[in-house]
Amino acid sequence: MGMASITIPCVFFIQILSIVSKSETKVPAVIVFGDSSVDSGNNNFIPTIAKCNFEPYGRDFPGGTPTGRFCNGRLPPDFISEGFGLKSVVPAYLDPTFNISDFATGVCFASAATGYDNATADVLKVIPLWKEVEYYEEYQKKLRAYLGHKKANEVISDALYVISIGTNDFLENYYALPRRQSQFTVQQYEDFLVGIAEHFVRQIYSLGARKLSLTGLPPMGCLPVQRTTNFDDPLNCLEERNKVALEFNGKLKATVAKLNKDLPGLKVFFADAYELLLQLITKPSQYGFEVVEEGCCGTGLFEMGILCNRHTPLTCPDANKYVFWDAIHPSQRTNKIISDQLIPRLKQLFL
């Protein structure tokens, strides 16, 4: 009796251990496409003004270094990677200090200021989405040379692909410049972008991607930079922009359902950035935030990128009290709260 009671828990414990270790390795890498919400520093290595590889960016990043992440610290893919038992930061593909041995467990192709629409990438001369896909194809070749075909193909099909893009298409392109407005109504432009999103998913599926997390638009009208331009109702959210984000997300969700049905073996999770961020914006004190209308950097009303620098006066001492770090981008603490809500759902689906 005594012996059996020792053996059973022991066997049970070993089984549990093997289940845990199995689940942690089921996603061998996190691979990232998108814009500044997920760019871990690719823009440092291209000629564009859409950069942030200077202080105070990165001041709460491990080591206090500005890495080119548009944040005071880490981004959602970093937290997601860590949550899946991988490394705590996902390196930028264009960063020469990393090589394929680093990229084998996670790599970021994202570029700040880009969008689904090629015309959006042209505005600040950043990497268009088609080029991110080209870099991904190049990465696959390097991965096969490094790991061998069989192992590399397993990484490609078991990796979690995190995709976050679309806000710049509206804020930097459609609403800011005349060209797309003269060609499309806002609803037509939403449809145009959703068509590109669908093509992109089909393209990376044909290259072997199977586990995707596709992020919808945030409540764009509540970003501090948008509140600043709300002259009718100063510092309140631009509800019309939020309505567009919701409309776009509805269309993207329907496309995700269609792709999940059409493409064998594909699983796309729709990450609802709108709802997740709106909770923090509407009930900040429940999450320990004190400031929501403005970012921590400078006045928090318009500063971002080169306008948020070491010489910018008024930058807040504690970014943890702020939902936003600069006038567009969430603080590290916001990124962590959102990631903590996403990770269990992603694990449920992909492990």
Side-chain angles (χ1 to χ4, degrees), residues 300-316:
L301 300 174
F302 62 87
E303 293 90 342
M304 64 189 120
I306 50 175
L307 298 174
C308 165
N309 59 59
R310 263 186 321 146
H311 308 292
T312 307
L314 307 173
T315 295
C316 80

Side-chain angles (χ1 to χ4, degrees), residues 100 136-153 156 207-208:
I100 192 64
Y136 171 58
E137 292 181 89
E138 182 184 272
Y139 162 75
Q140 288 197 350
K141 288 193 185 92
K142 291 179 184 173
L143 193 68
R144 291 191 175 105
Y146 175 66
L147 292 178
H149 275 253
K150 187 175 178 298
K151 185 87 183 77
N153 289 344
I156 289 160
L207 293 168

Side-chain angles (χ1 to χ4, degrees), residues 221-330:
C222 293
L223 303 178
V225 71
Q226 293 291 291
R227 292 177 187 257
T228 304
T229 59
N230 189 352
F231 302 115
D232 298 333
D233 193 1
L235 288 191
N236 279 319
C237 299
L238 279 174
E239 289 310 333
E240 169 255 346
R241 305 263 157 111
N242 283 353
K243 199 170 121 284
V244 168
L246 274 177
E247 218 167 51
F248 175 85
N249 286 351
K251 293 173 180 179
L252 193 61
K253 238 184 235 177
T255 301
V256 162
K258 181 173 137 226
L259 288 162
N260 279 329
K261 208 165 93 245
D262 285 1
L263 300 175
L266 177 71
K267 275 186 187 169
V268 187
F269 171 76
F270 178 79
D272 197 339
Y274 191 99
E275 284 311 317
L276 291 166
L277 196 51
L278 197 66
Q279 283 174 20
L280 307 190
I281 290 167
T282 51
K283 308 185 194 103
S285 59
Q286 281 189 20
Y287 296 89
F289 290 109
E290 291 173 18
V291 186
V292 69
E293 295 86 6
E294 55 211 40
C296 161
C297 191
T299 61
L301 300 174
F302 62 87
E303 293 90 342
M304 64 189 120
I306 50 175
L307 298 174
C308 165
N309 59 59
R310 263 186 321 146
H311 308 292
T312 307
L314 307 173
T315 295
C316 80
D318 183 4
N320 287 338
K321 294 176 178 164
Y322 284 68
V323 173
F324 293 95
W325 160 248
D326 63 15
I328 284 198
H329 304 99

Side-chain angles (χ1 to χ4, degrees), residues 99-268:
N99 61 36
I100 192 64
S101 64
D102 304 295
F103 299 143
T105 55
V107 61
C108 172
F109 302 107
S111 176
T114 199
Y116 285 114
D117 184 354
N118 290 336
T120 303
D122 289 344
V123 178
L124 294 176
K125 306 287 177 278
V126 297
I127 304 164
L129 189 55
W130 64 263
K131 185 68 183 171
E132 291 188 25
V133 175
E134 273 191 6
Y135 283 137
Y136 171 58
E137 292 181 89
E138 182 184 272
Y139 162 75
Q140 288 197 350
K141 288 193 185 92
K142 291 179 184 173
L143 193 68
R144 291 191 175 105
Y146 175 66
L147 292 178
H149 275 253
K150 187 175 178 298
K151 185 87 183 77
N153 289 344
E154 281 170 18
V155 171
I156 289 160
S157 63
D158 287 337
L160 171 60
Y161 293 79
V162 175
I163 303 141
S164 179
I165 191 167
T167 307
N168 297 320
D169 291 308
F170 292 94
L171 301 191
E172 188 192 313
N173 184 350
Y174 188 83
Y175 288 121
L177 302 166
R179 182 176 152 207
R180 290 305 192 206
Q181 283 190 40
S182 70
Q183 296 168 316
F184 301 104
T185 66
V186 75
Q187 280 76 22
Q188 288 169 334
Y189 191 58
E190 291 163 15
D191 295 338
F192 171 69
L193 297 177
V194 168
I196 298 168
E198 176 172 356
H199 173 73
F200 165 75
V201 171
R202 289 181 181 276
Q203 199 178 5
I204 64 168
Y205 172 84
S206 73
L207 293 168
R210 291 297 177 268
K211 302 173 176 181
L212 276 60
S213 171
L214 182 60
T215 311
L217 293 180
M220 302 187 289
C222 293
L223 303 178
V225 71
Q226 293 291 291
R227 292 177 187 257
T228 304
T229 59
N230 189 352
F231 302 115
D232 298 333
D233 193 1
L235 288 191
N236 279 319
C237 299
L238 279 174
E239 289 310 333
E240 169 255 346
R241 305 263 157 111
N242 283 353
K243 199 170 121 284
V244 168
L246 274 177
E247 218 167 51
F248 175 85
N249 286 351
K251 293 173 180 179
L252 193 61
K253 238 184 235 177
T255 301
V256 162
K258 181 173 137 226
L259 288 162
N260 279 329
K261 208 165 93 245
D262 285 1
L263 300 175
L266 177 71
K267 275 186 187 169
V268 187

